Amino acid sequence: MAAFSQDEIDALGTRAEAMVNALGAISAEPDRLVRLFLTAEHRRAADRVAAWMREAGLEVTADARGSVRGRLAGPKRLLIGSHIDTVIDAGKYDGPFGVIAGILAAEHFIRGDERLPFGIDVLAFGDEEGSRFPATLSSSAACAGAFRTENLKLADRNGVTISDAIKAYGKSPDDIPNAAYKAGEAAAYVEVHIEQGPVLETRNQPLGVVTGIIGQTYLNIEFLGEAGHAGTVPMVLRRDALAGAAEAMLLGERLARETKGEVVATVGRITVLPGATNVIPATVVVVFDIRSASESAHAGLVETLKNGIREIAERRHLGLTITTPRQVGITPCHPAIQDQFAEAIRALGAEPLRLASGAGHDGQAMAKLCPIGMLFVRCRGGISHNPMEYASPRDLGLAVATLIGFIERFDPEKVG
Ligand SMILES: [Zn+2]
């Protein structure tokens, strides 16, 4: 096992930070970080990553969706990946650091004397955030053999479909099935990512072992009332769709609070029609984003909320339609992978805190292919999806050293 001195860890962190900054400078806009899937910026970032992979000694290819793959040959493969697309006005660390950690860790084994009994693929996905097209995780889904062909028709704000964008990128949608790994080829998928939350910082720990990625439900609630004059319709005769929606939102907040942290529920978007100051709202759509690491608490809250909303609609004489446009179950991280990450963290003198991921990640798609695991890195203030995002070079170095220690401990037989 490699033993790292603090100087070596800091050297890894300094390199990682410089690489994070280099990718962070590749943006569609001069004043903020915007790097969307299948754009010129995606291409520049992918080229940069491919060059680093080659310098590290990896054999580089790119699939039909522009995902870059750096390979260290071996009988079975450990996949290490993350994404290089960003949200609009993003931070630099979310995604790129996971790719960079994979490259630096693979380089350690290429340059050093240790020989691994398995191969490594470092993967840089181009479409995790879903900021350009209304679909997320579609690059990792392609690698997992779970890409939905109907997604090719999805269009961005300018009417460009994914299919057209792939062709403009110089690739062919027909080749997407070739991006998929064959059954049994991938031993596991692991990802290093900033936490994007405050738990590690609060507990004063640099690294965390992820137990699983939480489940998520979108509940789309449409209340149908009746439009009317804001001055002439008496209060008792109104069927105000927005007042009903407001009650539903407060109910969702109360139910989530009552779970004492087990479930979080958010309404971040609301549509009000006709949407005029002097007209009683006739149609209101609110979308609840409900997430939890507990399958039963999650299901319980969704059921109670739906029943409560039905009661509100009935009492207020509102029409009601409830749909569930998104329902993703909990994705557990493999216990053996969790333990191997924990051992690697302990070997570096830190405490392996275990925590669930409240954000979605490529691992959710890769779990369809093979067991997954994740390592979280502390980020300042828990801030992410924001230019203020920051992780210290020392924590980045510790994360790369931990990934190296994990690879040394990784045993494909234990996760089979
Ligand atoms: Zn991310």
Side-chain angles (χ1 to χ4, degrees):
M1 301 269 169
F4 290 97
S5 68
Q6 190 58 55
D7 282 352
E8 285 167 326
I9 290 170
D10 286 344
L12 282 172
T14 304
R15 278 187 73 195
E17 187 185 51
M19 292 162 86
V20 164
N21 287 338
L23 280 185
I26 301 176
S27 172
E29 298 179 21
D31 300 325
R32 55 180 193 168
L33 179 51
V34 183
R35 201 166 56 236
L36 305 184
F37 181 42
L38 298 174
T39 57
E41 297 70 49
H42 177 197
R43 161 77 71 191
R44 280 162 60 207
D47 287 350
R48 187 64 257 166
V49 164
W52 284 331
M53 286 175 171
R54 275 187 215 100
E55 287 161 26
L58 294 162
E59 184 195 315
V60 181
T61 54
D63 69 23
R65 302 174 48 79
S67 299
V68 188
R69 205 177 292 216
R71 177 161 291 182
L72 166 60
K76 215 169 173 157
R77 246 164 263 299
L78 171 64
L79 315 183
I80 305 171
S82 197
H83 59 96
I84 57 171
D85 64 323
T86 73
V87 294
I88 291 164
D89 203 9
K92 296 181 284 195
Y93 298 82
D94 172 3
F97 175 59
V99 176
I100 290 162
I103 296 171
L104 293 176
E107 186 195 75
H108 171 90
F109 292 98
I110 294 168
R111 299 269 159 85
D113 306 323
E114 291 169 84
R115 288 287 158 263
L116 295 172
F118 50 85
I120 291 178
D121 274 8
V122 181
L123 297 164
F125 301 119
D127 184 29
E128 192 269 350
E129 301 285 7
S131 298
R132 179 172 177 190
F133 299 98
T136 59
L137 308 182
S138 63
S139 296
S140 39
C143 285
F147 180 74
R148 306 219 309 250
T149 313
E150 65 265 28
N151 278 359
L152 286 170
K153 296 193 205 103
L154 295 174
D156 68 7
R157 285 178 194 86
N158 301 319
V160 179
T161 63
I162 295 187
S163 179
D164 292 340
I166 288 174
K167 289 175 198 154
Y169 198 82
K171 299 283 183 182
S172 165
D174 298 338
D175 290 335
I176 290 177
N178 300 331
Y181 284 90
K182 291 180 196 70
E185 195 182 355
Y189 170 81
V190 296
E191 178 165 350
V192 183
H193 203 284
I194 56 162
E195 184 201 339
Q196 304 182 281
V199 176
L200 292 173
E201 188 174 69
T202 309
R203 302 283 292 273
N204 204 20
Q205 289 301 321
L207 302 169
V209 178
V210 179
T211 53
I213 303 169
I214 63 171
Q216 185 182 34
T217 302
Y218 280 178
L219 271 189
N220 194 91
I221 315 287
E222 181 174 329
F223 286 103
L224 267 177
E226 192 169 29
H229 195 292
T232 60
V233 183
M235 295 307 286
V236 289
L237 295 182
R238 294 186 181 200
R239 291 166 57 220
D240 183 331
L242 183 55
E247 232 189 287
M249 285 165 60
L250 290 176
L251 173 65
E253 185 191 42
R254 179 170 63 76
L255 292 174
R257 280 189 178 176
E258 283 170 4
T259 67
K260 306 244 180 291
E262 273 201 304
V263 187
V264 289
T266 310
V267 173
R269 210 170 105 186
I270 176 159
T271 312
V272 182
L273 294 173
T277 310
N278 57 357
V279 182
I280 299 162
T283 305
V284 172
V285 181
V286 293
V287 185
F288 281 91
D289 176 325
I290 300 160
R291 307 191 196 200
S292 177
S294 154
E295 206 90 61
S296 60
H298 189 150
L301 184 135
V302 169
E303 230 11 73
T304 313
L305 179 59
K306 282 207 267 193
N307 288 337
I309 288 171
R310 285 189 196 106
E311 186 274 320
I312 292 165
E314 205 166 311
R315 176 163 38 80
R316 290 175 166 273
H317 306 290
L318 299 170
L320 177 69
T321 315
I322 302 179
T323 55
T324 312
R326 182 174 171 84
Q327 192 160 27
V328 183
I330 292 161
T331 307
C333 291
H334 195 286
I337 297 178
Q338 290 186 46
D339 291 345
Q340 288 153 4
F341 267 127
E343 275 174 41
I345 292 173
R346 233 180 262 117
L348 289 163
E351 188 193 313
L353 200 104
R354 303 212 185 205
L355 72 171
S357 171
H361 291 289
D362 285 302
Q364 288 168 296
M366 297 305 278
K368 296 187 177 82
L369 175 74
C370 58
I372 70 149
M374 288 190 78
L375 176 72
F376 270 174
V377 188
R378 167 169 61 187
C379 61
R380 191 168 60 197
I383 295 168
S384 182
H385 285 189
N386 182 316
M388 296 286 289
E389 199 175 83
Y390 177 79
S392 74
R394 179 156 286 193
D395 286 358
L396 299 183
L398 267 177
V400 176
T402 299
L403 180 59
I404 291 168
F406 165 80
I407 295 169
E408 290 174 325
R409 288 166 177 82
F410 179 68
D411 180 354
E413 298 300 320
K414 283 199 181 140
V415 296

